[in-house]
Amino acid sequence: MGTWYNEAVFYHIYPLGLLGAPKENREEETVHRMEELFDWIPHIRDLGCTAIYIGPLFESTTHGYDTKDYKKIDRRLGDNEDFKKFVSLAHEEGIRVVVDGVFNHTGREFHAFKDIQQNREGSSFRNWYKGINFGWNSPYNDGFGYEAWRNCYELVNLNLKEPAVRDYLFDVISFWISEFDIDGIRLDCADCLEFDFMKEMRRRTSQEKPDFWLMGEVIHGDYSRWVNDEMLHSTTNYELHKGLYSGHNDHNYFEIAHTIRREFDENGGIYRGRTLYSFVDNHDVDRIMSKLNDKEHVYSVYTLLYTLPGIPSVYYGSEWGIEGKKEGANDEGMRPRLILDECEKENRHKELTKHIMALGRLHRGNKALTEGRYRELLLTNRQYAFARIAGEEAVITAVNNDDKPADAEIPVPVSAEYGTDAFTGQKYQVQNGKIKAHLPAAGSIAVCLNQDCREIQPE
């Protein structure tokens, strides 16, 4: 533990959407939209985030994941110098930068695929892709067939068993580390990548930058297959993501508690000692405010995001409570154009923004929340309390999904005389090994034990 990434709070940016880039990359001109992101860095800092996950950034044809050129920033966003400055400005504020690594597939305009189209069997790149068969045909009438990602034929699956492909991609990663000084990579479709490829990536990046972070997009399966000392440091925790909203919609905290008990309980959690990447929304799923039946539950949702085991992430715009849903195959609702000044002026959920800022202050430097063991303390359908424990310090979180206030007696897992609520500063006396908490309707508390929470109170 004690690494920057296990202690981080992430801010997730889908830049093509945020900056309002054209849906198709057909212009020759480079447009420096990324300069607009420079002003977002102080906002991200003030929100309490210590790392940015931004992507995709590679030059691409449409949505960013159909790569044309791995060593160029997409011209709809700007150029390489723009991104160098973005990383430098973030680093000046103590914010790390992690980018998307799209290594499972390329777009059809990538140079290797275009060479196969032109030279067919004579192409030196004919082994770069899976399933190349000159006796078949593709939906694009190429005169040959190939394996596509989930039958999306604009995305051509790379053959990661081919040494030339691996060498090329590792050269790309070295380029991004040396050229831009990035701090990590989020691997797109990590559950589709070869394990040996990720093992070699871990070895190489650790040598180039010892604290370089590798996080994989994994939706289903046993996350420990990917998160271990040989491969990735973390994966997306989609299992928890589902529980955080449905546990509130169904007034069923047993769902969330069962997930965490299974994953992280101190007496048998299957992912103990591992740190997964937690989120309530992202560029592929509906916004949290669009998923909740009762919008007031968003406060408890974020309290859980920040205090349960995991690395919390805020998706751009959700700090202002914006909504957005996928419409059929259209992702635009989750990836909107946003202008910082307008969002701040028109913020209709200022209390939510303040709540997320308070959670950022609570999380910062709090070993109980970054390293602490998880222990369940109280559980009903509508109330749930647990502790994160590091030595004699602990944070007790209690949430209430009822539309009425609730009183609860919560066991205290460490020796303490009192605790302090990080949100209100209220003192809780410990009596007979318990605190008596009054939980607001659709609300939460986070009580620090044996540490002073006054310094994290908002001005």
Side-chain angles (χ1 to χ4, degrees):
M1 294 295 189
T3 53
W4 71 263
Y5 39 84
N6 285 334
E7 297 173 355
V9 175
F10 272 85
Y11 194 82
H12 173 193
I13 295 173
Y14 178 80
L16 292 169
L18 186 153
L19 296 171
K23 303 307 176 189
E24 295 190 2
N25 186 2
R26 298 302 178 194
E27 303 297 326
E28 293 296 324
E29 179 185 2
T30 296
V31 182
H32 299 274
R33 292 182 173 89
M34 186 169 285
E35 293 175 350
E36 189 179 316
L37 288 181
F38 301 163
D39 291 336
W40 282 72
I41 293 173
H43 165 71
I44 293 168
R45 175 203 63 205
D46 293 345
L47 203 61
C49 297
T50 59
I52 294 169
Y53 153 42
I54 181 171
L57 294 167
F58 303 143
E59 178 90 310
S60 71
T61 304
T62 56
H63 45 61
Y65 291 98
D66 47 352
T67 308
K68 291 172 60 176
D69 191 328
Y70 281 97
K71 292 188 177 182
K72 287 185 179 179
I73 295 295
D74 195 301
R75 72 189 66 194
R76 293 170 289 176
L77 301 175
D79 59 22
N80 288 13
E81 292 303 315
D82 293 332
F83 187 60
K84 281 184 192 177
K85 184 172 181 180
F86 176 80
V87 175
S88 177
L89 291 172
H91 284 171
E92 287 175 12
E93 296 291 349
I95 297 172
R96 307 279 186 150
V97 179
V98 172
V99 302
D100 250 325
V102 188
F103 302 137
N104 178 67
H105 47 257
T106 73
R108 289 169 48 84
E109 295 189 69
F110 184 63
H111 72 88
F113 189 79
K114 291 176 72 174
D115 192 273
I116 298 172
Q117 287 176 312
Q118 180 176 346
N119 296 307
R120 292 180 56 82
E121 292 90 342
S123 173
S124 59
F125 298 100
R126 63 188 179 278
N127 294 324
W128 275 46
Y129 293 100
K130 293 181 178 179
I132 294 290
N133 188 325
F134 295 103
W136 294 354
N137 201 0
S138 74
Y140 285 94
N141 198 31
D142 293 298
F144 60 90
Y146 56 87
E147 181 181 306
W149 181 77
R150 295 185 179 177
N151 290 319
C152 299
Y153 278 83
E154 70 275 17
L155 303 175
V156 194
N157 283 342
L158 285 165
N159 176 16
L160 296 178
K161 294 183 181 295
E162 171 63 32
V165 174
R166 295 161 76 108
D167 288 345
Y168 174 81
L169 293 176
F170 291 135
D171 178 68
V172 165
I173 294 169
S174 294
F175 173 82
W176 276 72
I177 294 173
S178 62
E179 185 77 2
F180 302 110
D181 196 24
I182 60 170
D183 301 290
I185 292 174
R186 175 263 194 191
L187 293 169
D188 184 60
C189 304
D191 47 0
C192 300
L193 300 177
E194 299 284 343
F195 279 19
D196 286 346
F197 173 70
M198 288 183 278
K199 288 178 181 178
E200 189 172 355
M201 187 188 304
R202 174 72 174 264
R203 289 195 299 269
R204 291 189 181 220
T205 55
S206 295
Q207 291 171 356
E208 294 191 54
K209 205 169 188 178
D211 60 352
F212 197 80
W213 187 58
L214 296 176
M215 188 270 284
E217 179 196 25
V218 178
I219 298 176
H220 304 293
D222 179 355
Y223 299 138
S224 61
R225 295 182 64 213
W226 291 270
V227 183
N228 52 60
D229 291 340
E230 290 187 301
M231 288 171 51
L232 307 183
H233 300 91
S234 186
T235 62
T236 49
N237 193 347
Y238 267 90
E239 185 177 349
L240 176 60
H241 155 257
K242 192 269 180 183
L244 286 174
Y245 69 85
S246 62
H248 284 86
N249 286 346
D250 298 337
H251 293 284
N252 181 19
Y253 277 143
F254 281 89
E255 179 182 1
I256 301 173
H258 173 75
T259 295
I260 294 298
R261 195 182 303 155
R262 174 180 174 274
E263 292 186 334
F264 297 113
D265 188 80
E266 63 181 342
N267 294 317
I270 61 174
Y271 303 139
R272 282 178 304 161
R274 295 175 171 90
T275 309
L276 304 184
Y277 182 86
S278 303
F279 59 95
V280 297
D281 45 18
N282 63 28
H283 66 300
D284 288 325
V285 299
D286 295 347
R287 294 273 178 172
I288 185 62
M289 287 293 267
S290 296
K291 287 195 285 248
L292 291 174
N293 296 336
D294 182 345
K295 309 300 185 191
E296 289 301 308
H297 286 158
V298 72
Y299 295 94
S300 294
V301 167
Y302 274 104
T303 299
L304 292 173
L305 176 71
Y306 274 76
T307 59
L308 286 169
I311 303 168
S313 173
V314 177
Y315 184 43
Y316 82 95
S318 287
E319 68 269 30
W320 298 302
I322 72 169
E323 299 195 33
K325 299 184 74 172
K326 188 181 184 78
E327 301 292 342
N330 188 342
D331 294 321
E332 293 180 24
M334 295 107 70
R335 307 172 178 183
R337 164 72 165 133
L338 294 183
I339 298 173
L340 180 61
D341 289 346
E342 292 180 3
C343 290
E344 291 178 331
K345 290 176 183 176
E346 299 170 6
N347 185 3
R348 294 183 295 171
H349 298 278
K350 292 180 180 178
E351 291 306 312
L352 173 61
T353 310
K354 291 178 182 178
H355 185 66
I356 292 173
M357 292 174 71
L359 286 165
R361 288 188 289 270
L362 172 64
H363 197 276
R364 184 171 55 242
N366 194 322
K367 286 189 176 182
L369 294 182
T370 58
E371 301 178 13
R373 307 186 313 277
Y374 166 85
R375 186 180 301 174
E376 187 179 299
L377 303 176
L378 178 151
L379 179 62
T380 70
N381 282 327
R382 298 184 179 234
Q383 289 83 42
Y384 171 36
F386 58 89
R388 302 289 306 284
I389 308 162
E392 290 303 308
E393 294 186 359
V395 174
I396 292 176
T397 297
V399 290
N400 177 25
N401 66 42
D402 205 344
D403 57 3
K404 298 176 182 178
D407 293 313
E409 287 193 356
I410 303 172
V412 173
V414 296
S415 177
E417 295 182 358
Y418 71 92
T420 308
D421 184 10
F423 306 137
T424 65
Q426 179 180 343
K427 288 284 195 297
Y428 290 89
Q429 296 299 320
V430 179
Q431 297 179 333
N432 300 319
K434 296 180 179 180
I435 59 171
K436 293 183 178 181
H438 182 74
L439 304 178
S444 60
I445 62 173
V447 178
C448 301
L449 299 167
N450 293 328
Q451 52 184 317
D452 193 343
C453 285
R454 286 177 301 176
E455 73 273 15
I456 61 174
Q457 294 303 305
E459 293 80 6

